[in-house]
Amino acid sequence: ELTDELGDRVGIIVDGIDGRVHHVVLGEAAMADETKIGAIVEIGRAPSAPRPADRNIAELAKDTGEYRPSEHRAIASAGHVRVPGGDYDGYVESHVHRLEALRRAGIVERAEADRWLIPDDLEARAQAYDASQGRRASLRVLSAYDLDRQVTSDGATWLDRQLVNRNTGMLAEAGFGAEVRSALERRKDELIRQGHAWRTPEGGVRARSDLLPTLEQQEVERVGRKLAAQRGLAFKSIEDGQTIRGKLIGSTHLASGRFAMIDDGLGFSLVPWRPVIEKEIGREVVGVVRGADISWQFGRKRGLGV
């Protein structure tokens, strides 16, 4: 729903986990372009206080003036940062999302996919930027799949992240909150059926410790092989430390998140999507896999005869 004549702002209706229906006006219509009905989204407004993410970024960049996501993840996974559920990838990705917003505001600069240039006064400038946003809201897609598709999925869903991180305290007893509660119970049954969880003698449900990465790999392998076959290519799994080289041909939304599609002419791979590669579709890219993150290098656009 466009909210002005120029069409640069859009209103959306969000059924919240708090049991209420919210009408939200986004600052940019482009935010809602890839958001489908039924998707799980997070709506945020500029806070009045400094953001913890800004403070974390500033602390890591205080000596060098640089922030590296791979370094942040290594520090977090080493136990120096308490991350609920051990979702280090999601934790670092939230900081990268923040940096993308600050880059668009001209506050930080992205030198490479794994290197951001951070000013000394980041926190002050970021807080001033937030204050200038007034009532405008931002939107982040947490899952492109609705609850029913998540319940039966073989991927690492938003529901699984709620179960692992135990993020159920804010769920209302009515409305969408109640729907999520029901979906979580059905997802537990599905995880048991798939062999990823089991019931305890006390009647509870316990899942394997590596649930999220196992589910993600399972889904990526299945979808990747299918997409590769459609293109007459072999599917290539990606391993830590591997260099991936090929043409970025687009992206696909899975239950586990958004993934980039890489075609090297002989093989086909799926790797986690990052906003930094949005403008590189159709170009040759080179990336080095580091855990669940990738350091990208960009090349020239391929000709039709290559």
Side-chain angles (χ1 to χ4, degrees):
E1 172 192 358
L2 292 175
T3 60
D4 60 32
E5 295 178 358
L6 296 178
D8 61 350
R9 295 176 56 171
V10 64
I12 62 172
I13 298 175
V14 179
D15 199 352
I17 61 174
D18 58 0
R20 298 183 296 171
V21 176
H22 305 264
H23 184 274
V24 182
V25 177
L26 300 177
E28 301 177 11
M31 288 182 181
D33 283 351
E34 294 189 10
T35 308
K36 297 180 180 180
I37 294 177
I40 309 299
V41 300
E42 179 182 76
I43 302 294
R45 282 184 177 172
S48 56
R51 297 196 186 200
D54 297 338
R55 187 161 50 250
N56 295 339
I57 293 168
E59 177 65 24
L60 288 170
K62 67 179 181 180
D63 294 327
T64 63
E66 297 180 353
Y67 169 85
R68 294 179 179 271
S70 61
E71 177 187 354
H72 196 179
R73 190 190 188 285
I75 292 173
S77 60
H80 299 297
V81 179
R82 183 179 178 277
V83 179
D87 186 10
Y88 304 113
D89 298 328
Y91 171 74
V92 174
E93 183 69 10
S94 67
H95 290 72
V96 174
H97 277 295
R98 173 60 170 169
L99 285 170
E100 287 289 348
L102 296 178
R103 179 187 62 81
R104 291 191 293 269
I107 296 174
V108 302
E109 180 182 348
R110 184 181 61 229
E112 301 171 5
D114 193 43
R115 187 164 70 93
W116 294 77
L117 305 182
I118 309 300
D120 294 337
D121 57 349
L122 171 71
E123 292 182 78
R125 293 177 64 181
Q127 188 173 358
Y129 163 72
D130 285 342
S132 72
Q133 298 307 292
R135 298 179 60 83
R136 287 183 289 177
S138 62
L139 178 146
R140 178 186 174 198
V141 178
L142 302 179
S143 176
Y145 284 24
D146 62 22
L147 292 181
D148 288 337
R149 290 188 68 188
Q150 289 186 51
V151 165
T152 58
S153 172
D154 62 347
T157 69
W158 175 77
L159 289 174
D160 296 322
R161 298 185 188 281
Q162 307 316 296
L163 291 172
V164 168
N165 296 332
R166 296 181 173 87
N167 291 335
T168 59
M170 297 179 63
L171 297 176
E173 300 290 344
F176 186 64
E179 292 180 32
V180 173
R181 288 181 180 275
S182 174
L184 287 170
E185 293 305 313
R186 289 184 288 140
R187 181 58 176 171
K188 290 179 185 177
D189 292 337
E190 179 64 18
L191 290 174
I192 293 172
R193 190 191 70 77
Q194 292 184 17
H196 298 299
W198 60 93
R199 293 199 180 277
T200 66
E202 296 77 21
V205 175
R206 298 198 65 176
R208 54 189 302 169
S209 59
D210 59 348
L211 176 67
L212 296 179
T214 297
L215 289 174
E216 179 176 310
Q217 181 178 3
Q218 174 177 277
E219 183 185 31
V220 167
E221 291 271 346
R222 175 181 61 80
V223 176
R225 294 185 188 282
K226 178 180 178 181
L227 294 176
Q230 292 174 355
R231 303 181 67 85
L233 299 169
F235 175 69
K236 294 184 176 181
S237 299
I238 303 300
E239 299 180 358
D240 190 19
Q242 179 179 341
T243 297
I244 182 170
R245 185 187 309 268
K247 183 179 180 180
L248 174 61
I249 60 175
S251 67
T252 183
H253 286 279
L254 308 184
S256 301
R258 188 179 179 185
F259 284 78
M261 304 161 65
I262 309 295
D263 179 351
D264 67 4
L266 297 174
F268 177 91
S269 301
L270 290 177
V271 297
W273 178 266
R274 297 292 181 265
V276 66
I277 60 177
E278 185 75 57
K279 296 182 180 180
E280 303 302 322
I281 294 177
R283 298 177 182 268
E284 293 282 351
V285 294
V286 178
V288 179
V289 179
R290 295 188 174 96
D293 202 0
I294 301 177
S295 178
W296 290 104
Q297 301 172 19
F298 305 124
R300 296 181 179 180
K301 195 165 185 178
R302 251 188 183 178
L304 294 177
V306 177

